[in-house]
Amino acid sequence: MSSICLKTEIPGPRSRKFTEARHQHVSPGPFHTTPLVAAHAEGSVVTDVDGNSFLDFSSGIGVTNLGHRDPAVMQAIAKQAEKFVHTSINVVAYEGYIQLAERLNQLLPKAAPCKTFLANSGAEAVENAIKFARVKTGRQAVIAFGHAYHGRTYMAMALTAKAHPYKSGFAPFPAEVYRAPYPDFYRWPSQKEISDRSDCSNNSKLCEEVFHAFAEIASTQIGETNVAAVIIEPVAGEGGFVPAPAPFLQMLRRWCDEHGVVLIFDEVQTGFGRTGSLLACHQLDVTPDLVVMAKGLANGLPLSAVTGRADVIDAVGLGGVGGTYCGNPIACAASLAVLDRFEDPAVLAHAQEIGEILRHRLEEFSKRFRSIGETRGLGPMRAIELVSDQVTKQPDKVAAQAVVQYCYEHGLILMTCGAHGNVLRFLVPLTISNQELNEGLAVVQDALLSLE
Ligand SMILES: Cc1ncc(COP(=O)(O)O)c(C=O)c1O
């Protein structure tokens, strides 16, 4: 039985009516991948207000990793809602916050002892990670990377690499943010000299080249002793699902140790099974000093965390960080249920299995379709980059948008990403059945075929 079930024209009449009202009443700021208006969501399926059911390959931008309305998470939310909804950790503490911190602290055993600070959004946690690092080191400079996306608050925007639409018109940004190139080997200049790209992702020569560029910027433009933090996504998310090779991250780790710099991994999008391990760093053999988490952390409730070395987190004194809603009790209860769910080894095993299916199918697509420049990713966090010419690698944003539109019209929610908006990203629920995954991939295949 198929999960996709379209009963009306797309968008249906009720969706069109709500969308009209949205244009009238809502800021045009938040983008909309589809003109869908949700009525219900369960597992991998979103049903709209016209009764049409769509397969969801976006998971609300990589949030509902356990699927929509995971029963254990729903139960935890309901149970906490019966007790109390809010007291503010700054006024009256509660067990859920403390328990969650204790459990998150165990995620970085090599950084132990760890402590945790909870916030609401990914951007807010990023901001706070920088605050911890600056106070700890007494330094100001922060190095971020090309392709970076860290959110939309001012510091997060400054750290983000993509100008339009994230930064355009919003300057000035906070100072002392520097940028080094991200290890995107598909577009790295000297990569052209390498004829066999099959194991390019871990090519040590390229890793050294990119690291050298980083170290040169740190040394000449900033001065190592002025650097408070280096912040990087283990897989660039919005920037195009580009995995940073483990050897490169290990070089960064050694450099940070040598110069007393706080290494921050932004695992907002890569965390909670998205790459096949609970955190991406678990499979990369690198331990950051601080890890920033959000999205899948509470499977849909607004919650984020900064977890890491206790001596860094302890550097900020009483009242130095916080916020009224930080670590909301219902979100904490949901997150504890998420962590319980991940204790079942079958959850990550399934994530890895669907990662393999995706890798295999997307590689097949790339052999077949001229529009695909590269397919890449880590575990189930996978993407295909569309180009108008495989030799010049000219990014093809129009093709990516056409695929997303085709998919939507045929019952599949899919998103783009990438510095040039030409990357199709697969953020499937990690609990998706193989049958649903294949059903969605068949739509993607037809969409790619329609480009030929
Ligand atoms: C890697 C990364 N960091 C930070 C953020 C910002 O998170 P939020 O949108 O919850 O502020 C995102 C959001 O997509 C992200 O992918």
Side-chain angles (χ1 to χ4, degrees):
M1 217 187 81
S2 60
S3 298
I4 296 172
C5 179
L6 303 182
K7 298 179 175 168
T8 70
E9 58 182 330
I10 302 297
R14 283 170 62 81
S15 287
R16 284 204 302 273
K17 204 171 122 240
F18 279 119
T19 301
E20 241 169 68
R22 170 179 177 156
H23 290 318
Q24 196 181 344
H25 301 297
V26 180
S27 155
F31 68 84
H32 33 113
T33 302
T34 71
L36 256 179
V37 180
H40 186 80
E42 193 86 36
S44 309
V45 175
V46 175
T47 303
D48 76 359
V49 285
D50 296 289
N52 301 303
S53 295
F54 293 77
L55 261 178
D56 185 3
F57 274 18
S58 76
S59 302
I61 326 184
V63 171
T64 50
N65 291 1
L66 295 172
H68 293 283
R69 302 184 73 251
D70 174 80
V73 177
M74 297 309 293
Q75 210 178 22
I77 291 172
K79 214 166 137 196
Q80 178 58 41
E82 273 174 19
K83 294 185 204 156
F84 60 96
V85 171
H86 173 80
T87 58
S88 187
I89 191 70
N90 306 299
V91 182
V92 180
Y94 36 92
E95 207 180 346
Y97 188 120
I98 299 157
Q99 279 178 343
L100 181 58
E102 191 180 352
R103 287 184 69 177
L104 293 176
N105 291 344
Q106 287 153 27
L107 295 181
L108 297 181
K110 284 195 186 151
C114 286
K115 281 194 176 173
T116 286
F117 167 75
L118 297 178
N120 303 289
S121 69
E124 194 183 0
V126 164
E127 299 264 337
N128 281 287
I130 302 297
K131 285 167 74 172
F132 288 121
R134 281 183 167 161
V135 172
K136 169 68 185 172
T137 58
R139 306 172 182 177
Q140 296 184 4
V142 181
I143 307 181
F145 290 82
H147 290 322
Y149 181 85
H150 296 292
R152 293 172 180 274
T153 53
Y154 261 92
M155 183 44 138
M157 246 196 307
L159 296 168
T160 290
K162 191 170 172 178
H164 190 73
Y166 302 131
K167 300 173 81 165
S168 261
F170 299 128
F173 302 112
E176 286 305 312
V177 171
Y178 298 84
R179 196 163 310 284
Y182 191 85
D184 176 0
F185 294 159
Y186 179 58
R187 294 185 180 279
W188 187 252
S190 72
Q191 182 272 331
K192 284 198 196 82
E193 295 153 24
I194 296 167
S195 52
D196 176 14
R197 289 206 68 251
S198 53
D199 75 337
C200 189
S201 58
N202 277 327
N203 184 295
S204 60
K205 182 175 165 283
L206 288 179
C207 287
E208 268 163 29
E209 272 183 40
V210 184
F211 174 73
H212 181 72
F214 161 86
E216 189 68 9
I217 288 166
S219 159
T220 59
Q221 295 182 30
I222 316 165
E224 290 89 344
T225 53
N226 296 316
V227 182
V230 170
I231 181 166
I232 188 163
E233 297 160 76
V235 180
E238 302 295 311
F241 278 30
V242 190
F248 174 76
L249 295 171
Q250 287 155 7
M251 288 175 204
L252 283 185
R253 175 69 277 177
R254 281 195 293 275
W255 184 92
C256 285
D257 287 341
E258 205 178 307
H259 297 290
V261 173
V262 177
L263 179 61
I264 304 169
F265 276 7
D266 180 343
E267 292 234 26
V268 167
Q269 196 158 164
T270 51
F272 293 85
R274 181 49 61 196
T275 66
S277 45
L278 190 57
L279 294 177
C281 66
H282 292 166
Q283 59 180 301
L284 297 168
D285 199 23
V286 192
T287 301
D289 298 305
L290 299 179
V291 64
V292 180
M293 298 167 277
K295 292 194 186 274
L297 172 63
N299 209 52
L301 271 82
L303 184 71
S304 60
V306 185
T307 293
R309 270 173 44 199
D311 62 314
V312 179
I313 301 277
D314 281 343
V316 171
L318 190 65
V321 291
T324 306
Y325 296 108
C326 284
N328 169 270
I330 294 187
C332 287
S335 184
L336 285 164
V338 167
L339 286 171
D340 286 345
R341 289 279 281 109
F342 276 102
E343 296 230 313
D344 176 355
V347 175
L348 282 179
H350 186 65
Q352 287 155 15
E353 185 189 339
I354 60 171
E356 271 310 293
I357 297 173
L358 271 168
R359 187 180 63 75
H360 180 70
R361 289 296 299 280
L362 300 188
E363 277 170 8
E364 262 176 17
F365 290 170
S366 86
K367 283 185 198 126
R368 185 168 166 199
F369 298 113
R370 275 169 307 161
S371 50
I372 297 179
E374 181 173 70
T375 165
R376 58 178 176 250
L378 187 63
M381 184 171 179
R382 302 211 84 81
I384 46 188
E385 174 155 358
L386 299 184
V387 291
S388 54
D389 183 321
Q390 287 183 329
V391 177
T392 63
K393 300 180 181 176
Q394 182 63 33
D396 198 343
K397 182 178 177 176
V398 174
Q401 283 171 337
V403 169
V404 167
Q405 180 67 18
Y406 181 101
C407 287
Y408 159 66
E409 285 169 3
H410 293 81
L412 179 74
I413 304 169
L414 186 69
M415 299 184 77
T416 58
C417 64
H420 304 283
N422 63 322
V423 178
L424 300 170
R425 58 167 145 172
F426 295 79
L427 285 168
V428 303
L430 304 175
T431 48
I432 195 168
S433 70
N434 294 12
Q435 191 191 330
E436 286 171 319
L437 183 60
N438 286 326
E439 187 184 348
L441 286 171
V443 178
V444 177
Q445 177 171 296
D446 289 345
L448 290 166
L449 202 57
S450 75
L451 297 176
E452 294 282 295

